Amino acid sequence: MSQKNQTLGEFIIENQSAFKYTSGELSRLINSIRLAAKVVNHEVNKAGLVDIIGAAGDTNIQGEDQQKLDVYANNKFIQTMTKRNIVCGIASEEEDDFISINSQDENHQNKYVVLIDPLDGSSNIDVNVSVGTIFSIYRRITPVGTPVTIDDFLQKGHQQVAAGYIIYGTSTMLVYTTGSGVNGFTLNPAIGSFYLSHPDMQFPVDGKIYSVNEGNYIHFPQGIKNYIKYCQQEEGDRPYTSRYIGSLVSDFHRNMIKGGIYMYPKSSTNSNGKLRLLYECNPMAFLAEQASGKASDGFTRIMDIQPTELHQRVPFICGSKNMVEKAEEFMRNA
Ligand code: AHM
Ligand code: MG
């Protein structure tokens, strides 16, 4: 029976049998993410102390500056999962192409691929605002023992077997789902262990917080503009409160605890929005649905969208169920 104060290690072992494909492989994979998270957390917390912040000089495939900690986190997660030989493939927001692991080894029996955004919201590092790691796990669809292909990564979100995030905040938390609810674990930095602190996390069905970059308002679709005006109207429990950190993991985490909606719509300058379907939207959508919330592109369930490319972007509306449904209604009627 899961209980508060249980360590993440204990929780993983105890809940392994509840997972329908039990073989221990997924548990080992989540364990390795836990390990890399602790190492990255240590480095993120040092960012203000050592001369590690600032652009590394490279740009990622989307043409954005990479911060040094992005590179560090990317390497750390990839190394941890590669060296421990527990996945057959990795795709990262910071890599142009997916990585096939041990594809030459015919005895290689690993079944899972991982998609990861190693350090999301990294432009916030310089100003001491929380950032996060987002991960998404699928079973490969090509035969075990053969090299992975792009098809193993371009699966619909509802095929995910696990997803989660690490938030490097006032305290560091690892929040994840394997398809039977969402549980949150808080790192005790003195001991270096994650403890179950937020069992069975749930989005309140309604909320009073809306999170969107309103600086882009003029470029938003009419439906989103109308919904924002609705949030600001004085009626019933409205106007709602506006809260936008600009760090998806932090905005999502707050909204899940307090009740709220996060939106990154398409705009006249950004025809598919900004967020990536595979590294950001699908894992957050899986978590949201597992916590009784909802995630949509305004019209379609995020996890029903067929991905066509690794770095695909998609409009994203996610949060408390009734709020997301209201925003969808405004999109339909615009
Ligand atoms: P990143 O992957 O380059 O860090 O971008 C994703 C981040 C999200 O965490 C955040 O919600 C969003 O970008 C903020 O974008 P904007 O500054 O355009 O509002
Ligand atoms: Mg990101």
Side-chain angles (χ1 to χ4, degrees):
M1 190 53 198
S2 306
Q3 56 194 28
K4 274 200 170 187
N5 298 328
Q6 197 174 29
T7 66
L8 175 54
E10 289 166 344
F11 181 92
I12 290 170
I13 293 167
E14 192 178 293
N15 288 278
Q16 186 173 306
S17 56
F19 184 66
K20 65 180 173 180
Y21 305 112
T22 302
S23 71
E25 199 177 323
L26 183 67
S27 300
R28 285 190 293 128
L29 176 47
I30 290 171
N31 258 321
S32 76
I33 290 172
R34 169 185 70 155
L35 184 66
K38 286 195 237 181
V39 178
V40 171
N41 175 62
H42 183 68
E43 215 55 30
V44 168
N45 285 342
K46 281 194 323 198
L49 292 172
V50 292
D51 184 29
I52 196 168
I53 49 176
D58 296 332
T59 47
N60 67 12
I61 192 170
Q62 286 96 14
E64 296 154 341
D65 276 345
Q66 278 188 340
Q67 307 283 305
K68 278 184 186 170
L69 275 170
D70 286 16
V71 180
Y72 180 87
N74 188 43
N75 292 341
K76 200 45 71 183
F77 278 102
I78 290 175
Q79 270 170 21
T80 309
M81 289 186 279
T82 309
K83 287 202 177 131
R84 292 160 72 90
N85 194 24
I86 43 175
V87 286
C88 50
I90 304 172
S92 163
E93 191 185 295
E94 299 297 343
E95 302 284 331
D96 295 356
D97 208 350
F98 64 85
I99 301 167
S100 180
I101 296 166
N102 270 1
S103 53
Q104 307 307 319
D105 178 0
E106 284 178 15
N107 296 321
H108 175 67
Q109 296 298 306
N110 294 338
K111 293 187 289 290
Y112 295 103
V113 295
V114 174
L115 295 98
I116 191 158
D117 182 352
L119 210 58
D120 183 69
S122 52
S123 61
N124 282 316
I125 292 167
D126 289 1
V127 290
N128 212 350
V129 167
S130 303
V131 290
T133 296
I134 308 170
F135 61 90
S136 168
I137 301 173
Y138 294 82
R139 281 169 75 86
R140 64 180 304 173
I141 53 172
T142 53
V144 167
T146 63
V148 287
T149 74
I150 186 76
D151 294 338
D152 294 313
F153 297 92
L154 298 183
Q155 299 188 52
K156 289 185 183 171
H158 66 241
Q159 304 280 77
Q160 289 174 102
V161 294
Y165 59 79
I166 298 117
I167 178 166
Y168 309 99
T170 43
S171 42
T172 292
M173 284 189 70
L174 192 154
V175 174
Y176 81 104
T177 181
T178 52
S180 41
V182 176
N183 291 285
F185 300 81
T186 302
L187 181 67
N188 179 341
I191 300 168
S193 293
F194 283 100
Y195 289 90
L196 180 60
S197 52
H198 295 64
D200 192 22
M201 297 179 83
Q202 295 282 328
F203 266 95
V205 182
D206 275 305
K208 292 186 186 166
I209 297 173
Y210 72 102
S211 316
V212 62
N213 186 343
E214 270 182 89
N216 295 327
Y217 182 88
I218 192 77
H219 301 297
F220 286 157
Q222 194 55 46
I224 295 291
K225 286 181 176 168
N226 294 345
Y227 178 67
I228 291 174
K229 285 295 160 218
Y230 166 87
C231 292
Q232 296 170 342
Q233 261 162 22
E234 187 150 29
E235 198 181 327
D237 59 353
R238 288 173 285 135
Y240 297 152
T241 295
S242 165
R243 289 282 182 276
Y244 188 70
I245 299 171
S247 185
L248 172 62
V249 170
S250 313
D251 281 310
F252 178 98
H253 188 73
R254 182 207 49 242
N255 289 351
M256 178 159 62
I257 291 172
K258 296 196 164 181
I261 184 169
Y262 173 96
M263 297 178 280
Y264 208 109
K266 71 172 185 179
S267 68
S268 49
T269 50
N270 230 346
S271 58
N272 291 312
K274 176 184 183 189
L275 301 182
R276 291 78 172 170
L277 175 60
L278 296 179
Y279 309 108
E280 291 159 335
C281 304
N282 270 337
M284 290 316 210
F286 190 23
L287 288 160
E289 289 195 11
Q290 284 296 317
S292 309
K294 208 169 168 180
S296 145
D297 68 357
F299 302 97
T300 306
R301 180 187 181 215
I302 288 291
M303 291 202 288
D304 283 342
I305 298 172
Q306 175 63 57
T308 53
E309 51 184 288
L310 278 180
H311 294 280
Q312 185 172 343
R313 296 172 195 263
V314 73
F316 190 53
I317 301 177
C318 178
S320 292
K321 186 167 174 288
N322 288 350
M323 296 182 90
V324 173
E325 285 176 357
K326 195 65 171 173
E328 287 180 317
E329 189 185 311
F330 275 96
M331 289 299 284
R332 269 196 312 274
N333 296 335

